[in-house]
């Protein structure tokens, strides 16, 4: 095994670890603030679907084990963030959102029979669906920050860890000749990190003590 092989293996693990770790500061921020309103609901919906489709993609296309194990932990972190969002909001609107999250979560199980019947086809389709969800799900968070002119309640460490993960994923996916969907996903993450970093630079000092509720 040469140095490139070592980099590919270690880089894959490091990238997925960073992706997983990116959610931990946000979970902690939600806990400290006793609120999940710093993160857009559509952001959470998008990530729920993104990780659901990614796991189908990883298992159906038989990606390396790291792409099956750590994304499952990241999906669990998203579920925790969703539960925080619902736990800290006891309003009628919060209960309605919880019902929609439940329907969304249950709907992912309908993909399973099709994945068993045609793993390659469904896996490829879910890979592109993952790119779609992880692209559009970032837009509501960007708009929320722009509308409120505030990054209050949104963890900067989420952006830092995502940036490290995206760089490692891009280089290792290219060297390991993984499916093109993985490379596109890493490039998309790098673009997202640049936008969020710019917003933190512009709005960090302008952030009020509390973000207005959506």
């Amino acid at each position: 095994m040469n140095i490139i092989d070592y980099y590919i293996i270690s880089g894959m693990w490091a990238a997925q670890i960073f992706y997983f770790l990116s959610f931990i500061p946000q979970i902690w921020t939600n806990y400290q603030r006793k609120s999940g309103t710093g993160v857009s609901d559509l952001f959470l919906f998008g990530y729920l679907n993104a990780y659901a489709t990614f796991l189908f993609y990883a298992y159906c296309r038989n990606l390396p084990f790291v792409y099956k194990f750590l994304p499952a932990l990241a999906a669990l972190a998203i579920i925790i963030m969703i539960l925080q969002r619902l736990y800290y909001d006891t309003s009628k609107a919060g209960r309605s959102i919880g019902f929609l999250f439940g329907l969304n979560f249950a709907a992912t199980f309908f993909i399973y029979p099709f994945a068993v019947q045609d793993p390659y086809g469904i896996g490829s389709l879910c890979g592109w669906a993952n790119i779609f969800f992880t692209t559009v799900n970032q837009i509501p968070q960007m708009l929320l920050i722009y509308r409120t002119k505030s990054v209050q309640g949104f963890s900067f460490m989420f952006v830092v860890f995502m940036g490290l993960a995206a760089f490692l994923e891009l280089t290792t996916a290219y060297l390991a000749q993984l499916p093109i969907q993985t490379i596109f996903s890493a490039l998309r993450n790098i673009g997202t990190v640049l936008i969020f970093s710019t917003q933190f630079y512009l709005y960090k000092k302008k952030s009020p003590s509390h973000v207005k509720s959506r």
Side-chain angles (χ1 to χ4, degrees):
M1 186 178 292
N2 57 39
I3 189 169
I4 294 179
D5 293 329
Y6 277 116
Y7 175 76
I8 290 173
I9 294 173
S10 60
M12 284 181 180
W13 278 94
Q16 295 305 315
I17 288 172
F18 282 133
Y19 277 135
F20 166 65
L21 290 178
S22 68
F23 298 110
I24 304 303
Q26 189 62 55
I27 291 173
W28 179 247
T29 297
N30 291 348
Y31 172 75
Q32 286 185 311
R33 299 179 71 241
K34 299 296 185 291
S35 171
T37 58
V39 177
S40 165
D41 291 324
L42 291 177
F43 179 88
L44 294 175
F45 271 112
Y47 260 117
L48 177 63
N49 288 288
Y51 272 104
T53 52
F54 183 86
L55 288 172
F56 276 109
Y57 165 60
Y59 278 91
C60 289
R61 292 298 303 271
N62 195 29
L63 297 187
F65 175 72
V66 61
Y67 286 99
K68 301 173 183 177
F69 174 64
L70 283 166
L73 293 182
L76 178 61
I78 290 296
I79 292 173
I80 291 174
M81 289 171 62
I82 291 172
L83 292 176
Q84 286 181 313
R85 167 68 179 89
L86 302 177
Y87 179 76
Y88 293 129
D89 184 357
T90 58
S91 67
K92 183 178 180 180
R95 291 193 295 270
S96 297
I97 292 171
F99 178 72
L100 293 175
F101 273 123
L103 286 179
N104 194 153
F105 185 77
T108 60
F109 289 98
F110 286 99
I111 303 175
Y112 181 76
F114 300 99
V116 172
Q117 185 177 7
D118 181 16
Y120 186 90
I122 296 299
S124 296
L125 182 62
C126 284
W128 289 115
N130 169 260
I131 293 174
F132 169 77
F133 282 122
T134 52
T135 299
V136 300
N137 90 301
Q138 305 285 3
I139 296 174
Q141 185 64 28
M142 295 171 187
L143 292 176
L144 175 65
I145 294 173
Y146 175 77
R147 178 173 60 84
T148 61
K149 300 294 187 293
S150 169
V151 291
Q152 184 76 21
F154 187 52
S155 173
F156 182 65
M157 290 307 297
F158 169 83
V159 180
V160 172
F161 282 129
M162 179 183 286
L164 292 171
F167 172 77
L168 288 170
E169 184 176 42
L170 177 62
T171 55
T172 55
Y174 176 77
L175 291 172
Q177 298 182 342
L178 293 181
I180 191 66
Q181 293 95 325
T182 305
I183 295 175
F184 267 84
S185 179
L187 287 171
R188 192 271 316 160
N189 279 330
I190 289 174
T192 297
V193 166
L194 292 175
I195 294 173
F196 279 140
S197 297
T198 301
Q199 289 186 312
F200 267 94
Y201 174 77
L202 292 174
Y203 302 131
K204 180 67 175 177
K205 293 182 179 180
K206 299 179 182 180
S207 296
S209 58
H210 297 284
V211 173
K212 294 180 181 179
S213 176
R214 295 184 304 284

